[in-house]
Amino acid sequence: MAQKPNIPKGTRDFSPAEIAKRNYIFDTVRKHFKRFGYQPIETPSFENSSTLMGKYGEEGDRLIFKILESGDYISKIDENLIESTIPIYIALNSIFKDVFYFVVDKIKNEDQRFLTLDEIGAIVGSDELHLEINLILDKWSFFLSPDENLSKLFKDEFNSQKHKFLESLAFFIFGEGVDFERNISDNSFIRYVITNGERGLISSWAKKLSKEINKKVKIKPEKSKEISISISEKALRYDLTVPFARYVVMHQNELTFPFKRYQIQPVWRADRPQKGRFREFYQCDADVVGNDSLLQEVELVQLYDAVFTDLGLEGATIKLNNRKILSGIAELIGAKDQLIQFTVALDKLDKIGEEGVIKEMLGHGIPEAAIEKLKPLFALDGDSMVQLETLATMLQDSEEGTKGVEELRFILEHSLALGLQNSTLALDVTLARGLNYYTGAIFEVSAPEGVKMGSIGGGGRYDDLTGIFGLKNVSGVGISFGLDRIYLVLEELGLFPESVSESLQVLCINFGDAEALASMKLIKQLREAGVACELYPSHAKMNKQMKYANARQVPFVVMIGDQELAAQQFVVKEMGTGTQSTYDLNDIKPFLEAIR
Amino acid sequence: MAQKPNIPKGTRDFSPAEIAKRNYIFDTVRKHFKRFGYQPIETPSFENSSTLMGKYGEEGDRLIFKILESGDYISKIDENLIESTIPIYIALNSIFKDVFYFVVDKIKNEDQRFLTLDEIGAIVGSDELHLEINLILDKWSFFLSPDENLSKLFKDEFNSQKHKFLESLAFFIFGEGVDFERNISDNSFIRYVITNGERGLISSWAKKLSKEINKKVKIKPEKSKEISISISEKALRYDLTVPFARYVVMHQNELTFPFKRYQIQPVWRADRPQKGRFREFYQCDADVVGNDSLLQEVELVQLYDAVFTDLGLEGATIKLNNRKILSGIAELIGAKDQLIQFTVALDKLDKIGEEGVIKEMLGHGIPEAAIEKLKPLFALDGDSMVQLETLATMLQDSEEGTKGVEELRFILEHSLALGLQNSTLALDVTLARGLNYYTGAIFEVSAPEGVKMGSIGGGGRYDDLTGIFGLKNVSGVGISFGLDRIYLVLEELGLFPESVSESLQVLCINFGDAEALASMKLIKQLREAGVACELYPSHAKMNKQMKYANARQVPFVVMIGDQELAAQQFVVKEMGTGTQSTYDLNDIKPFLEAIR
């Protein structure tokens, strides 16, 4: 049976129509990245695990796809990281112990006699006995394998075979019904048990063994990270920022700063897949490092606006905040260590109203007096510059907060002076995206009102991007475009140009060998002139060929039958209108002009 | 200490200059794929392991990168696949056994008395004893860890600490010098040993334990594949052909056949990296499935020629063979099952000459009489059509061989009729590339003579591409472009256009706040007109800004100082010539015309 083909959950195949639309977005973004002076780089799909691990927090580490080492990677696992259990071994051992205590009890309670040396030898297990048991294990391990394919093959037999194995093992240990190569010596403990007629124990020991066999080797949960590192030295890219930081540090001597780079590559996350969340997706990032001028923030706002304008997307809101303002507010209310709880609460203003936010803040232990100082925040409204002045007054006693206000003012004022074509720039003091790493400006872009979609882009400034890799004091600022969401927004608003999905301009119908060759000669000329065209490869029925033409949505079908060939002509059918025109095979210019 | 950043061996970072050149090739290939009516698809970077495994032979399976399952993947390993050893456990057990036999010997040879029950309990190991030993193991496992980082941290202490541990364990087991929480009962076997003064054994047991501890958990070598499957359900794409076959079968109801697709994506192979061989590299494939017309082979030859012509690459040789001809020859000499050895030998004709080839064939047991029939092959020379007629005569008694000759004739004749612009089409009967799966035409492209480089492309027809996934009788034919090698060839021949590496057309010098704003307004207009330009982000020294301009190889530098701003002008310095011109800030058209 052939396999029913499928792809891993959270991944996608892209059809030609989807690729055309995705490339339309990529090409547009790329065009503006270039116009803004950003240069492309690409980094490997997998990095050393040590480059990625520990850079995205506990949760991030868990979501990084690790690549298995090839070869004998299991030997790289420190056995201390594994629960000390190879179950069959333990099960046997534990049975031997049971056997021992059983005998001890027997002796204690019944005849109080000591065991002979041979009897003790049998209890602890002679080498011979171990050898025999290993032979049985090898013989039967096939049926114990949890390998799904094997299980399926033997679906019906599996359980009964397993049972048979346990029976065999018990019979072997206890000496009856044994048809294996070698019998154990008469003078053994097993004989002792058998001759003393203690058969009831056999089944309980077999049961215990069966239970143990179904257990697996387990990682100590707290050690799974260490194990992953030991058997996986590489991991798939989780985002483009950490590889970029690594790139800058590694190539610092080849680069001229400020270094403006863009990067459009896939990233992978072992997230639980759900609607709109994939395990493989593209990121489109533009960042500049090595200069802390705020003009770069101003330019990034222009970049967003230029791309959205080119895509025909009107009314996107570029939301702007500054980490220093958030810090200033936290300082003001004496809740520096509660900055995250504070911004999370504030962010809900729209949903739960002023009262709800205050209640939540009180819940986090932010004192009433402090919340009183925040009151102006709840009333922030209207023009961004007006809002900014409210913030300026509120934060006048905080050095950091005042710095944040100044930075924001610079970006807002310059953006006003340059103007935006299609987007709106709006201060949003609740914006706390990426609080962990951004140190200055924070950006987030919302789709136009009415389109239900999360953010379609975001970014910010991080004062020490490359510090983790040893290059200190290199400031960076960058933004990202959310390809998948922008795709959905353009789809919903019908903004993809029709021409995007046109993959073939001309199809030549195949009327047989000689005609086909003439068509191929025509096609060769058309292609040299830049026209996407092809010949239907076989002399199929006209019906079938036209069906293909329709499926490919070809605007022009060319026909060279025997009459046309004789007259050195070709007939063009315009599929939209059905009108037909005839051209000279020896002069294609009129046709080229007609289809442009 | 920050990490010294690096990338996994066999992978590459691409700089802006390299990306520009790579994209130049990609864009050219893509342009012609489109003109030839091929449509793009993309498939996920990782597929289910079952989709890939077993499709590339034993060696291929080994070279597939496997992705580790997240979570408790170790529990998915069947313990039967691992050598039954958790060494510490075994080591202890084996020591207990030694202790036992020592005692038995002692008793036998010295006083012949039986052990007391308590003594036996101590030999086999009471639960209390096990508990204590586990406590010690936990306490000291840190120093036993083979984790390299830990080892490094304690480089100096490691060995002595390990020794201390073994001593402690021995002391604990044997009851002297114990300062642990709990002492074992006076009535134990251990006391027995101690009181009997047998201390010499301690060190030998400790030595044995030490040896065992250094062992690791091992996979049974023949089981490593099964283990990989159980802890890794996904694997990175190894080529584009198998995912394409999977795509066609999975989406067969959405596709119209013939389906012409192109695909340009990276693939990954766990090959030993060496010069020119990478673990991550791009493949560029064009294939058509669902039609067996040979016109498609003709078209693929045209496609190669069109791409090479556009890249300015003259003199590439498109070598052509047919699997059926190879089969016919093998049939002729009665060596059907030795086809591979036969073609491998024939392929060496250039290197080892006719005699060498004959010697090698004789070595493979091909009879002399058969080799006599092959003589015409050694003399094949000159025009492909002439060579073909020699083959036709030679293979006239083989039905399959004759079919192969006819197919080749069709492709050669049609290609002659259409003509090639820059490449040469040549019959090469030694070409056996991909013998395992190709069933008809076989292509391979050599770089122009004089450039030392392997093949820069290849392909062929496979009669049953999708059969492995359950869709029978779907013929496919396709070709591939070797990006990395084409890159090296273009580099060697100096064929990359200079404009490829130009990433920035205009740089505006930053003279301070007001001037910078005026520059940004100019830049905004230039970008809207499609010019790649930027402002140096900070008011740095002129020297530094010009150094940046040089590093970016900018052809035009724009200066708006205070005087220019006052006069509403901007000065343009042409970097190549050093000439300066002045333009009106309110009319950029003349400047746009000047730089185009």
Side-chain angles (χ1 to χ4, degrees), chain B residues 375-477:
Chain B
K375 283 273 168 77
L377 284 184
F378 302 140
L380 275 185
D381 202 9
D383 185 67
S384 289
M385 290 308 290
V386 178
Q387 290 189 33
L388 193 66
E389 295 322 315
T390 312
L391 281 176
T393 313
M394 202 177 121
L395 295 171
Q396 59 193 338
D397 294 335
S398 160
E399 192 181 333
E400 195 172 5
T402 301
K403 182 92 173 37
V405 168
E406 277 167 21
E407 289 184 11
L408 257 179
R409 183 180 287 128
F410 185 94
I411 301 167
L412 286 169
E413 280 180 353
H414 275 74
S415 297
L416 273 175
L418 287 169
L420 294 181
Q421 299 173 74
N422 271 307
S423 316
T424 312
L425 187 61
L427 193 156
D428 181 353
V429 80
T430 68
L431 185 63
R433 178 194 174 92
L435 198 61
N436 293 326
Y437 41 98
Y438 291 137
T439 51
I442 304 174
F443 301 106
E444 189 171 280
V445 184
S446 329
E449 259 182 83
V451 182
K452 281 208 176 68
M453 189 70 60
S455 71
I456 57 172
R461 179 176 286 275
Y462 22 82
D463 278 342
D464 188 21
L465 173 67
T466 56
I468 35 169
F469 299 112
L471 185 63
K472 297 285 178 197
N473 302 320
V474 176
S475 181
V477 58

Side-chain angles (χ1 to χ4, degrees), chain B residues 92 96 128-138 169 172-173:
Chain B
L92 287 177
F96 285 133
E128 257 180 23
L129 184 63
H130 271 119
L131 186 72
E132 293 291 342
I133 290 172
N134 282 330
L135 280 174
I136 308 178
L137 286 176
D138 277 346
L169 188 60
F172 174 72
I173 293 173

